Amino acid sequence: MNRVEEFEELRPLLFSIAYRILGSVTEAEDAVQETWVRYDLSATRPVSARAFLSATVTRISIDVLRSARVRREEYVGPWFPEPLLTDPYQDPEHSAELADSLSMASLLLLERLSPLERAVFVLRDVFAFGFPEIASAVGRSEAACRQLAVRARRHMEAGRPRFEADRKERDELAERFFDALKEGDLDGLRDLLAGDVSIVADSGGKAPQFAQGVFGAEQVRRMLGMFVPPFLGIGGRVEPQWINGRPGAVFRDRDGKVVNTWTVEVLDGQVQTIRAVSNPDKLGHMGPVADAWALLRETGLARQDGGAPGPRDMFTTHQPAPEADQESRM
């Protein structure tokens, strides 16, 4: 097997490592490409291509994450990972760990860790690498890596909900939720939403969003009633889809362009959290991206007169100037 064949065989693993460290599809793809360049240019053939490539993509991802964290501190509004429809790497022996680590909730918990803790946790607890390999990848001793793993697990466990929904129950409830949305059955949503349910959006200041979030069952239900029927009325589509290994949906305009993605978290038999990603920079890997500002105007939900927000104005209505857009680009 030549180098190209070795690399292509391991590409799914390398991407999956990089994505979990970075939370970004585009940055993970760039890290994998840089890994190939270094592998192709290396003068000697490593004993283990898997060990060499995994270590290389991990080091690159750690460096990228360190600079990305500075940009994320200046990010406009909430920052969410880029949505991923399909994880290219599959391992039946660690399928549960792989699926859990891919969720939006888990990736956001990983944001609390230092770059080294995050890398060690991903390599050890998700992909089951041995500590000698991890130590080589992150440039620390095995003892230090064991300590990093313990600290990372402690932080991750502290942030997880105490009682997570049964997978079958979660999937069935999410299916009912999105069916009710598509059918405009607002009354049917009433029993599906937790009393303290929230919708929070990552727009990066580049797409309409619902103020700083919508909180509480009645407010969320009201927002859904205001947004979804007009969106469907102009030819928009709600396509249920697995996103980051969890039930979600892709919203598309009449031409099939991506408007945003939603993922739902279920707790105690009800929808607890809805996370929307509408920043166009985070949707381009999924295909052509819609002009969300134009769609909002077409639905009649955005005010054109610049007046004070009224009862129907639950969205940020003013598109940022090109200069601001350029400065805030990730």
Side-chain angles (χ1 to χ4, degrees):
M1 185 181 295
N2 60 37
R3 289 197 184 197
V4 174
E5 292 170 334
E6 284 178 335
F7 182 81
E8 290 303 323
E9 184 176 87
L10 291 166
R11 181 189 288 272
L13 171 64
L14 303 179
F15 173 85
S16 293
I17 291 172
Y19 177 76
R20 286 166 173 81
I21 295 175
L22 293 167
S24 166
V25 173
T26 51
E27 289 176 344
E29 289 173 342
D30 289 345
V32 171
Q33 185 58 35
E34 176 62 23
T35 299
W36 160 248
V37 171
R38 296 188 188 185
Y39 186 46
D40 187 42
L41 294 177
S42 62
T44 59
R45 193 77 173 263
V47 175
S48 168
R50 182 179 185 273
F52 176 87
L53 292 171
S54 298
T56 302
V57 81
T58 297
R59 293 189 201 107
I60 292 170
S61 297
I62 290 172
D63 289 341
V64 172
L65 181 59
R66 284 174 173 147
S67 61
R69 285 167 75 94
V70 176
R71 296 196 302 274
R72 290 174 192 177
E73 290 175 358
E74 302 170 351
Y75 194 75
V76 179
W79 182 93
F80 294 158
E82 290 184 13
L84 182 67
L85 298 184
T86 305
D87 185 2
Y89 179 73
Q90 302 295 324
D91 181 354
E93 291 187 10
H94 303 99
S95 58
E97 293 86 349
L98 288 168
D100 182 64
S101 65
L102 198 63
S103 72
M104 283 279 182
S106 290
L107 290 171
L108 287 171
L109 284 177
L110 285 170
E111 284 291 305
R112 302 180 183 183
L113 308 182
S114 72
L116 279 178
E117 287 173 341
R118 185 165 181 164
V120 169
F121 180 86
V122 166
L123 292 176
R124 180 62 182 174
D125 286 51
V126 179
F127 294 96
F129 277 75
F131 280 109
E133 293 174 289
I134 296 172
S136 174
V138 303
R140 295 291 188 276
S141 68
E142 288 186 42
C145 288
R146 291 180 188 277
Q147 291 178 346
L148 287 166
V150 169
R151 287 205 303 268
R153 280 190 211 109
R154 187 182 303 128
H155 287 306
M156 293 294 288
E157 289 303 320
R160 294 187 193 280
R162 179 172 291 183
F163 302 109
E164 293 190 277
D166 172 79
R167 178 176 296 185
K168 181 179 179 181
E169 176 192 28
R170 177 200 70 195
D171 296 350
E172 289 177 349
L173 191 144
E175 182 179 3
R176 288 167 56 201
F177 172 78
F178 285 114
D179 283 346
L181 273 189
K182 290 188 296 180
E183 295 166 5
D185 180 11
L186 301 182
D187 289 333
L189 291 172
R190 192 182 302 275
D191 294 334
L192 302 180
L193 301 176
D196 58 347
V197 63
S198 63
I199 298 182
V200 184
D202 171 350
S203 72
K206 301 179 182 183
Q209 72 177 65
F210 347 105
Q212 296 302 310
V214 183
F215 306 93
E218 284 308 309
Q219 281 289 88
V220 167
R221 187 170 164 275
R222 175 171 170 256
M223 190 284 292
L224 295 175
M226 289 171 53
F227 166 68
V228 176
F231 175 73
L232 297 176
I234 62 171
R237 305 200 304 267
V238 180
E239 296 182 353
Q241 186 89 249
W242 285 95
I243 299 175
N244 288 82
R246 293 291 190 272
V250 178
F251 286 64
R252 298 183 185 273
D253 69 7
R254 65 171 66 88
D255 299 318
K257 294 180 180 179
V258 179
V259 179
N260 58 30
T261 65
W262 287 17
T263 55
V264 298
E265 287 183 23
V266 175
L267 192 64
D268 294 331
Q270 292 179 305
V271 174
Q272 184 72 44
T273 308
I274 302 168
R275 292 191 177 92
V277 176
S278 55
N279 184 340
D281 293 347
K282 295 187 175 185
L283 302 173
H285 63 280
M286 299 171 60
V289 179
D291 183 344
W293 298 101
L295 285 174
L296 188 61
R297 291 190 292 270
E298 189 176 353
T299 62
L301 291 172
R303 294 190 55 155
Q304 303 294 318
D305 59 7
R312 289 173 59 81
D313 293 299
M314 299 189 72
F315 296 88
T316 300
T317 59
H318 298 294
Q319 187 168 2
E323 292 80 9
D325 179 75
Q326 186 67 29
E327 290 174 0
S328 63
R329 186 171 298 275
M330 289 284 286

